[in-house]
Amino acid sequence: MSRLGRLLGRRRPRLLSLRTTFAVSFAAVTAAVTVLVGVLSYGAAARLVRVDQESVFDEVVQDLRDEVRQHEMTPDDFSSSAPGHDLVRPARTDVQVLGPDGAVLDPGRPGLPVTAADRRIAGVDPAGRMVEHKDVGVGNDVYRVATVSLGSGRGAVQVAQEFSDTEDLLRALQRRTLILMVAVVIGAGLFGWWLARRITRRLVILTSAAEDVARTRRLGIQVPVHGYDEVGRLGRAFDRMLGRLAQSEEDQRRLVQDAGHELRTPLTSLRTNISLLRRIDELPPATREELVADLGQEARELTDLVNELVDLAAGQSDTEPPQRVDLADIADEVAGLARRRTGREIVVRASGDTTTDGRPGMLQRALSNLVENAAKFDRDGSHPIEINVTGPARAGTVRVEVLDRGAGIADGDLMRVFDRFYRAADARSLPGSGLGLSIVREVALSHGGAPFAVPREGGGAVIGFTVGGV
């Protein structure tokens, strides 16, 4: 390929900006409307003027024909020096008198041409006979001429009206209309440019913000867009979207950091025990059994931790479609599964309308975590675990709570039990990762509700969440 071909191949057509497109479109529409209105207006005005001029001329000619039919008149009666001649000489009307042989007896001002047809009319017997000539050139002007016979061969009268001045007036009107249309189109283009600049200014701000985010990957950029129209709504939606993305990025970063921190302890213990496996032949049988048991326990803890991390991540980006669900039915399913797993007695109580819009998989996972948490901390198992589902607590809100008779929650831990990896001091010796209640919080928030934890009267704890729909 030649160098010119490569240069042409690299060239890309330059797209018009939205501002230019809007201004050009505005000017084009205005031009089309202006041209249409101008053409129609000029046509109507020209037609009215021409019709008016022709009607005036026709009235003058008809009056002349009526006059010569009713009265026996001679060429002298129409002489410019005869009294009453103004009856047939209105403004912008020229009169020329012909004799019986068609000769000009009293020339008009200017003089009108006489044709053979005019001379024949001058010699005819009936009065009021007429011959008409259109577009007769006299000097630099154009006339319409009508020749009316006086009768009995006495001659004829020529009446002419100038139409060139009317056409000059219409041409001047045409020029002014064109000038006005051009001025309107230019003005519309400038106004369209100004309006497009005013409208697209905030879009340019949004574009710059999006380009900054793409270039710097910083999501904490605040979009300075105001107004309550579509552009203002777009700006606020874009600002909220950036805020949600920034929060999501921060949540992911914290999740990775917390997960890394929590994984260090079991991994360090695993490495220590694995190093002891190299000397397993030197260890007594009891120590060997204890080492293998520790390895199995640590592997299970790691598995549980990874599974809960996966559940937590899935809860943050769950694409399960919302649907109408009955939380009482979900509680029954969770209770049945927990009975088989733990062998504990679990009681489900439901009251009111417990249906809501939600993601059943996420809600089941949250309620399962609450029941498993209650079973873990209520190690005595002498009292049943209770699940209460109440709805609606307030407009459209369903309340789910799990009650146990365990050791309860200290007042200082009530606000922190839903934090990731947080474990109360008396629970650190128990198995678990500290992610179960964090998953409950994520599910509740994603469903328009909130988690809660309060001490239970008589001992134990009440832990649950509300659901307000998605």
Side-chain angles (χ1 to χ4, degrees):
M1 184 181 295
S2 63
R3 181 179 180 184
L4 178 59
R6 289 194 298 270
L7 291 175
L8 292 177
R10 286 196 299 266
R11 180 175 296 176
R12 295 289 184 271
R14 184 177 180 181
L15 299 177
L16 293 177
S17 65
L18 181 60
R19 182 183 306 171
T20 304
T21 302
F22 187 87
V24 171
S25 301
F26 193 87
V29 172
T30 305
V33 174
T34 303
V35 169
L36 180 62
V37 173
V39 169
L40 294 177
S41 299
Y42 171 78
R47 186 168 54 254
L48 289 174
V49 171
R50 290 191 179 103
V51 169
D52 182 67
Q53 290 293 95
E54 291 175 358
S55 64
V56 171
F57 181 75
D58 292 338
E59 289 177 2
V60 171
V61 174
Q62 188 61 41
D63 289 343
L64 175 60
R65 295 179 70 186
D66 293 341
E67 184 72 17
V68 298
R69 286 171 179 168
Q70 296 172 7
H71 307 282
E72 187 176 323
M73 306 185 75
T74 65
D76 293 337
D77 294 326
F78 295 96
S79 173
S80 60
S81 60
H85 68 276
D86 55 334
L87 294 176
V88 294
R89 292 176 186 243
R92 299 174 62 193
T93 302
D94 189 16
V95 177
Q96 180 170 274
V97 183
L98 303 180
D101 57 355
V104 178
L105 299 181
D106 189 0
R109 297 176 180 82
L112 303 175
V114 180
T115 65
D118 296 330
R119 285 190 286 269
R120 284 195 302 271
I121 286 294
V124 299
D125 184 62
R129 295 286 295 274
M130 181 187 74
V131 62
E132 186 176 2
H133 310 283
K134 294 183 178 181
D135 300 330
V136 178
V138 180
N140 296 325
D141 298 323
V142 178
Y143 285 80
R144 180 183 176 190
V145 180
T147 303
V148 180
S149 66
L150 297 178
S152 302
R154 291 189 296 270
V157 177
Q158 287 184 302
V159 181
Q161 187 175 36
E162 182 183 354
F163 280 91
S164 58
D165 58 346
T166 301
E167 296 301 323
D168 292 340
L169 175 64
L170 292 178
R171 281 192 292 272
L173 177 62
Q174 187 180 47
R175 287 193 298 270
R176 292 180 181 178
T177 303
L178 289 175
I179 293 173
L180 180 60
M181 287 191 297
V182 171
V184 170
V185 171
I186 294 175
L190 295 176
F191 178 75
W193 179 266
W194 173 83
L195 184 62
R197 185 171 181 270
R198 182 180 179 87
I199 293 175
T200 59
R201 181 172 54 201
R202 290 175 293 168
L203 292 176
V204 171
I205 295 175
L206 285 177
T207 303
S208 300
E211 291 174 346
D212 288 343
V213 171
R215 185 179 62 256
T216 63
R217 297 187 179 181
R218 291 188 297 106
L219 300 175
I221 296 177
Q222 186 171 0
V223 182
V225 176
H226 308 284
Y228 297 95
D229 55 2
E230 288 80 359
V231 179
R233 291 171 54 195
L234 176 62
R236 287 189 291 274
F238 188 73
D239 193 39
R240 289 193 297 269
M241 180 189 70
L242 288 180
R244 293 288 296 273
L245 289 175
Q247 183 62 43
S248 177
E249 184 181 51
E250 176 64 19
D251 290 342
Q252 291 179 359
R253 186 185 62 81
R254 287 178 50 206
L255 178 61
V256 171
Q257 289 179 347
D258 293 344
H261 175 74
E262 292 298 320
L263 286 170
R264 286 194 188 97
T265 300
L267 287 175
T268 301
S269 179
L270 272 176
R271 283 198 301 269
T272 302
N273 288 332
I274 290 173
S275 65
L276 289 175
L277 286 176
R278 297 175 180 175
R279 299 185 296 110
I280 193 169
D281 294 337
E282 304 174 6
L283 301 177
T287 305
R288 294 178 190 178
E289 293 295 332
E290 184 180 354
L291 178 60
V292 172
D294 286 345
L295 286 172
Q297 179 64 29
E298 289 161 358
R300 284 191 296 272
E301 290 182 2
L302 276 176
T303 301
D304 292 340
L305 178 58
V306 170
N307 288 336
E308 290 183 336
L309 285 172
V310 172
D311 288 343
L312 183 60
Q316 292 176 343
S317 59
D318 203 314
T319 57
E320 183 183 9
Q323 61 187 31
R324 198 69 181 172
V325 296
D326 190 339
L327 285 174
D329 293 341
I330 293 178
D332 288 333
E333 295 177 6
V334 170
L337 182 61
R339 291 188 192 101
R340 291 190 294 272
R341 286 179 178 176
T342 64
R344 296 288 301 273
E345 181 183 358
I346 300 176
V347 179
V348 178
R349 298 187 182 91
S351 62
D353 183 9
T354 58
T355 59
T356 185
D357 293 327
R359 298 178 174 90
M362 295 177 64
L363 293 171
Q364 185 175 9
R365 182 163 59 241
L367 189 52
S368 296
N369 287 351
L370 289 178
V371 174
E372 291 174 2
N373 193 72
K376 179 174 64 176
F377 287 97
D378 187 4
R379 287 168 288 182
D380 183 23
S382 58
H383 296 83
I385 298 173
E386 301 177 18
I387 303 177
N388 292 338
V389 183
T390 308
R394 57 178 186 274
T397 302
V398 180
R399 181 182 177 92
V400 180
E401 56 186 21
V402 176
L403 300 81
D404 63 63
R405 287 298 182 183
I409 303 174
D411 293 340
D413 295 328
L414 288 175
M415 301 301 295
R416 302 188 61 188
V417 292
F418 294 101
D419 293 344
R420 293 172 185 164
F421 302 109
Y422 179 79
R423 304 181 71 186
D426 56 353
R428 290 171 187 167
S429 60
L430 298 176
S433 62
L435 287 175
L437 294 183
S438 179
I439 294 174
V440 172
R441 181 188 64 182
E442 297 294 335
V443 172
L445 294 179
S446 67
H447 284 76
F452 59 86
V454 295
R456 183 182 183 184
E457 185 177 354
V462 180
I463 305 178
F465 59 91
T466 58
V467 176
V470 293

